[in-house]
Amino acid sequence: MITAALPSLAQTLRHRRERLAQQADFPVVLWSGQPQSRNFPANTHPFRSSSHFLYFAGVPLANAAIRLERGRLTLFVDEATPAEALWHGPSPSREELAQQMGADAAYPLADLPQWTAEAATLPAMDAATLAAQQSLLGRLVGLVAEAEGHDRQLAEAIVQVRLCHDAGAIDEIRAAAAASVRAHQAGMAATRQAATEAEVRAAMEQVIMAHGMTCAYNSIVTTHGEVLHNEHYHHRLRPDDLLLADVGAEAASGWASDITRTWPVSGQFSPTQRDLYDLVLAAHDACITEARPGVEYRDLHLLACRVLAEGLVDLGILKGQPGSLVEQDAHALFFPHGVGHLLGLDVHDMEDLGDLAGYAPGRSRSDRFGLAFLRLDRPLQAGMAVTIEPGFYQVPGILQDPARRERYQGMVNWERLSQFADVRGIRIEDDVLITAEGCEVLTSNLPSAAEAVEALVGG
Amino acid sequence: MITAALPSLAQTLRHRRERLAQQADFPVVLWSGQPQSRNFPANTHPFRSSSHFLYFAGVPLANAAIRLERGRLTLFVDEATPAEALWHGPSPSREELAQQMGADAAYPLADLPQWTAEAATLPAMDAATLAAQQSLLGRLVGLVAEAEGHDRQLAEAIVQVRLCHDAGAIDEIRAAAAASVRAHQAGMAATRQAATEAEVRAAMEQVIMAHGMTCAYNSIVTTHGEVLHNEHYHHRLRPDDLLLADVGAEAASGWASDITRTWPVSGQFSPTQRDLYDLVLAAHDACITEARPGVEYRDLHLLACRVLAEGLVDLGILKGQPGSLVEQDAHALFFPHGVGHLLGLDVHDMEDLGDLAGYAPGRSRSDRFGLAFLRLDRPLQAGMAVTIEPGFYQVPGILQDPARRERYQGMVNWERLSQFADVRGIRIEDDVLITAEGCEVLTSNLPSAAEAVEALVGG
């Protein structure tokens, strides 16, 4: 087969397989997964293929598996029966699918058992596929964190291959980012006419859906940004509220984006909102300025903490030396999460592998209040995509916790803090591609400066 | 406890429990289910509680169970830990939840094992909950079709209780139907400016989302209406196309609606499209005119078939006596599905129980081409909600099947049929509540007459 004649997707996939083969000299079988029932068997959640399958197979097939060995791809999938074609319409033949992905061979699923001996794998997300894996491989397939032998080596190899993105991946992330930018613009524009969070969310997700994409994760669109994993949308919008929207598109190919903006419902930040918004933005901008190959992502996180601590001291909310405050995790009272994560086929890329992707070999999560939630601790490399997403939150569970209040009693000016009660949560998040020279903000079409945000809301 | 002092939800639920107790004199435990992972553990599909749980517990809790015995409700759920509250925000206490649903007692999940002895149950949709059920009950919990003893009796009892809706249920279905009507209006209004199916779908689902609702099922919005289970939205809209949209909202309480309309992309039906549209509408209207308590739903289906056959004879597409054509299933060449189904908490209500809800005791699916896909074969009763959804389709898998072409050779005027090539699929579907006197179309705010549809599209 002449490589130059391959279509672009097949060529990209061939290159990925070859990179994997350099890391793993044993056979690998990866399953795509199958649809999961919502409330009765035929009513399923929209199907999402396994990210590992998508990375090497490129096509979001359900009920399929691939075998990878020494750069060769063998596809296992059943063709639609006449009855299925009748209800679901025409679908590509096995041969057409094999050609799309540049497979070397393709067989019905019934042939798969002959090809699984000694194969390494990763556990499927859905229980039915996991059961099928275990049955075919004749062994348990457990959590990657506890995997041994070839399964463990496979997980490590895949991390090496998927950590830095090829041109095909970057094109797809760019497309998802572009749709996400338009979704945020639509959300800002819809806010002043909207009565509820749900209406703004709907305006945003409409844009993503109109692009033929899905949401990469359950959207957060809330006036209660202090609830970090907020998936409720029922609050009415009040003119004094800030609205925090963390909404990202996923391309049909599975590649994700992840954007957060925070804007004033009225179109005008109050002075206190503006002070804290500008501070979060300063932390965000500082990280982006410093992001380049060789820089430790953990140091970007600590840079964000430092900028926030300095600003909070300047505003009179924190008391003390910023460096010392960060060492004591005082910043984490207001910024209790990490500054971001890997971005790829998963919005938290490869989080199904636990911390294997996020943490460099030999590193593990800190116990420190200000570091425990950091999802990424590796030196940056060209081709990595990461988010940069500092924030400021007044989380009652943290600020009213008696133990924390006692520990940080002398470091917080609680009276001064009470003047910022109209800020419950602010986060500013962009998607950043590390390049040879530094970095490129893939979501830079969406402004983050306070005035520009106000203009988009239409104050 | 004084019933009059109960809030309305609790009162409704108490009544439902009492109705169940009349049918089932053994203890019952029902699980709500738990979120299912999409591509990594923390990235889950939006959670949907089990419909049986929702019917008796009223509140869409995850990771909860209820025990029902002689009208008593015991709730088992864990309160959010401080760490969970920190990330997910405040949630009602166990006691508050118990009060909302009028529970007689409420305990942590850890207490559940003491309460499961001899309890009947129904299998959960998600594998993790199913495994928990089986482990706690100490036995397999399999398909309802194969269930025996109390599990089987429970399924039959729940069918009796859920088949006819109470006022609380009808209010919720009405609310879902109202949002669905607005979604279809928005879809029609968006069509002439839209370039793709995805854009129209987005305009429709936006309305549902803005109401704080979800979709009751994966939307069908397609110019290829002949693909009956079409979940692709990538086709570009062409002026000669008909667009078929089968989109329904689900209220936050879980109650569903289900509407289909078919409209011309240009805003003007062609004469051939108009002929077939009016014919499908005639079948739809005839069924609604006849729907009342005591009428066999199967007879409504056959009425729709008869009206379609008559009309197709009049149009010169079918040849012969309509009654004889229906007996030979010639109508099913163009209308290969049933005229509708039960509607409730599931869009195909209780389809998780197989045909136990859809088919009256002693009845089972026919083998006939024209009846095999009928989902409901019972006499109608006041309080039932059903859909009425006849259609006309040119499904290549049917019309080009050599065996069918031979069988129906003398009954179809293929040359005449070829003049209707601009009709790939038409369906008109409304939600109908059977009342004491006849029926009420819950979705009647959405016009179905051809001129009215054209006016909404803006031809």
Side-chain angles (χ1 to χ4, degrees), chain A residues 172-184 204-205 207-209 211-217 219 246-252 254-259 343-347 431, chain B residues 38:
Chain A
E172 294 293 317
I173 297 175
R174 257 184 228 287
S180 305
V181 165
R182 288 187 206 108
H184 280 259
M204 299 181 77
E205 293 197 14
V207 172
I208 291 171
M209 213 180 292
H211 278 79
M213 297 187 182
T214 56
C215 289
Y217 50 94
S219 299
D246 187 343
V247 176
E250 178 177 295
W255 293 88
S257 65
D258 184 1
I259 300 181
L343 179 72
L345 276 164
D346 309 297
V347 64
D431 298 345
Chain B
R38 189 173 176 272

Side-chain angles (χ1 to χ4, degrees), chain B residues 280-347:
Chain B
V280 173
L281 186 60
H284 164 275
D285 291 351
C287 291
I288 289 174
T289 302
E290 291 303 315
R292 68 177 68 91
V295 167
E296 289 286 349
Y297 190 81
R298 186 176 187 273
D299 288 340
L300 291 187
H301 174 73
L302 288 168
L303 173 62
C305 299
R306 172 76 186 224
V307 171
L308 289 169
E310 283 170 0
L312 292 173
V313 168
D314 291 346
L315 289 171
I317 293 173
L318 284 181
K319 298 183 287 188
Q321 293 299 319
S324 161
L325 289 167
V326 170
E327 275 169 29
Q328 294 173 84
D329 295 323
H331 66 278
L333 291 168
F334 304 105
F335 174 46
H337 63 74
V339 80
H341 48 79
L342 292 169
L343 179 73
L345 276 164
D346 310 297
V347 63

